[in-house]
């Protein structure tokens, strides 16, 4: 009898353990199948999202150097997704924003945020940044003179004549001890905010794109990075002084991708920004511009 009870208990225990094992196996299989289904769905959704952009054409306004050149590298990345990028070049700082505002182009890439904010305020436009791409150090370049340490009394220094870039130029001159700018002037600084001018330098305000062409007519010129590149200047070899690329200015004056407000979350625009901040673009920037353009991503 005891043997019969023991055998019955053993059989029951065996069945119980087998049932637990079967339940665990079934649960694991179900979980695995669910995870696989979820993964497949996610992959399908991603593929569908990319597929949805195939055949899309984007038109972007840009300065010729380095912006249009960088965009042409991003164009190769976008082509892999079936997106066609058309780059429209402008040589000034006004038209790219106007054609973005009126919808002639989908985006522009040529400016930093302080300039964008100033432009919106002065022109009643509604443009916003999608994100930062690169930073171009401002440089002081030699003209008729080449020695900042022994600058002549009454020397002429040319600077950009637009609000934010002029302020930036004045701050760079102040960092070299050539002038002193009123505390708090910030991005609104003008020649009227110069509080000390020990060398009696004359500040000549010139349209930014014209600075490289007039540098030989002045003692020194403070030139935007892209215009310096276009003129064949090397930041590393030709500039007498530059903004510190590791400074706060690198973030403040980072060049951004810009669209009309409301379009910043557009999938095609997001794909463009992803292409502009890809490893392929970063490698291109680092190997091409001799420190005149610095990736900010």
């Amino acid at each position: 009898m005891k043997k019969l009870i023991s055998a019955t208990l053993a059989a029951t225990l065996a069945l119980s353990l087998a049932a637990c094992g079967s339940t665990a196996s079934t649960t694991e299989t179900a979980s695995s199948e669910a995870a696989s289904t979820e993964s497949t769905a996610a992959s399908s959704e991603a593929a569908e999202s990319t597929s949805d952009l195939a055949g899309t054409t984007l038109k972007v306004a840009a300065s010729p150097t380095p912006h249009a050149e960088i965009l042409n590298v991003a164009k190769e990345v976008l082509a892999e997704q079936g997106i066609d990028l058309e780059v429209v070049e402008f040589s000034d700082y006004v038209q790219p924003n106007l054609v973005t505002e009126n919808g002639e182009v989908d985006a522009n890439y040529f400016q930093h945020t302080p300039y964008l904010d100033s432009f919106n305020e002065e022109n009643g436009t509604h443009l916003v940044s999608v994100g930062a791409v690169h930073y171009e150090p401002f440089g002081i370049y030699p003209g008729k003179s080449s020695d900042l340490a022994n600058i002549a009394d009454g020397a002429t220094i040319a600077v950009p004549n637009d609000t934010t870039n002029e302020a930036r130029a004045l701050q760079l001159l102040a960092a070299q001890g050539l002038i002193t700018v009123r505390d708090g002037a910030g991005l609104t600084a003008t020649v009227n905010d110069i509080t000390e001018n020990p060398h009696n330098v004359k500040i000549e305000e010139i349209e930014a794109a014209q600075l490289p062409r007039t540098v030989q007519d002045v003692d020194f010129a403070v030139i935007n990075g892209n215009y310096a590149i276009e003129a064949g200047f090397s930041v590393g070899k030709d500039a007498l002084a530059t903004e510190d690329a590791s400074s706060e200015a690198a973030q403040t004056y980072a060049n951004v991708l810009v669209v009309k407000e409301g379009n910043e979350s557009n999938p095609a625009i997001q794909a463009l920004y992803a292409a502009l901040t890809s490893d392929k673009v970063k490698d291109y920037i680092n190997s091409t511009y001799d420190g005149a353009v610095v990736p900010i991503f």
Side-chain angles (χ1 to χ4, degrees):
M1 184 66 177
K2 287 182 180 180
K3 289 182 180 180
L4 179 59
I5 293 174
S6 296
T8 302
L9 289 173
T12 301
L13 180 59
L15 286 172
S16 177
L17 288 174
C20 288
S22 176
T23 301
S25 177
T26 301
T27 302
E28 289 173 3
T29 299
S31 298
S32 177
E33 289 176 353
S36 177
T37 301
E38 183 177 344
S39 177
T40 301
S43 297
S44 298
E45 184 177 347
E48 183 179 349
S49 175
T50 302
S51 177
D52 287 344
L53 297 176
T56 300
T57 297
L58 286 172
K59 187 180 290 188
V60 181
S63 298
T65 303
H67 306 82
E69 296 167 349
I70 293 171
L71 280 166
N72 281 324
V73 178
K75 180 175 183 175
E76 298 173 11
V77 178
L78 291 172
E80 297 174 1
Q81 304 171 48
I83 302 172
D84 181 43
L85 177 63
E86 182 180 342
V87 182
V88 184
E89 297 185 8
F90 291 87
S91 60
D92 69 283
Y93 283 179
V94 176
Q95 289 302 313
N97 276 338
L98 295 181
V99 295
T100 304
E101 175 74 12
N102 67 27
E104 290 182 41
V105 300
D106 300 293
N108 70 56
Y109 174 43
F110 76 97
Q111 66 194 315
H112 50 61
T113 301
Y115 179 81
L116 171 63
D117 293 341
S118 174
F119 190 94
N120 277 331
E121 183 177 351
E122 293 174 6
N123 296 278
T125 46
H126 309 83
L127 305 171
V128 296
S129 166
V130 177
V133 180
H134 78 266
Y135 164 67
E136 299 171 17
F138 253 42
I140 302 176
Y141 292 85
K144 293 188 292 186
S145 304
S146 60
D147 188 354
L148 283 178
N150 295 295
I151 188 171
D153 191 68
T156 300
I157 303 177
V159 302
N161 65 357
D162 59 277
T163 304
T164 52
N165 282 310
E166 178 177 19
R168 184 177 175 184
L170 294 176
Q171 296 292 358
L172 177 56
L173 294 175
Q176 304 308 308
L178 301 178
I179 59 173
T180 300
V181 177
R182 177 180 60 81
D183 287 343
L187 299 177
T188 62
T190 68
V191 292
N192 295 325
D193 293 299
I194 297 175
T195 57
E196 294 182 25
N197 187 355
H199 304 288
N200 298 307
V201 297
K202 177 185 176 183
I203 304 297
E204 187 168 331
E205 299 162 303
I206 297 176
E207 202 276 319
Q210 300 300 319
L211 284 166
R213 301 185 183 93
T214 59
V215 67
Q216 296 303 322
D217 300 324
V218 296
D219 290 286
F220 305 95
V222 186
I223 305 177
N224 303 58
N226 61 307
Y227 290 135
I229 297 169
E230 286 178 25
F233 294 135
S234 165
V235 171
K237 299 173 183 176
D238 299 323
L240 303 174
T242 60
E243 294 169 318
D244 185 351
S246 64
S247 69
E248 184 179 352
Q251 299 296 325
T252 303
Y253 296 111
N255 281 214
V256 293
L257 177 66
V258 170
V259 297
K260 188 169 184 177
E261 186 176 8
N263 295 332
E264 56 268 36
S265 297
N266 181 289
I269 294 298
Q270 286 298 313
L272 170 59
Y273 183 63
L276 280 170
T277 54
S278 65
D279 288 341
K280 185 168 186 174
V281 167
K282 177 181 286 187
D283 291 342
Y284 173 79
I285 292 174
N286 287 332
S287 64
T288 303
Y289 296 110
D290 188 31
V293 181
V294 181
I296 209 75
F297 53 91

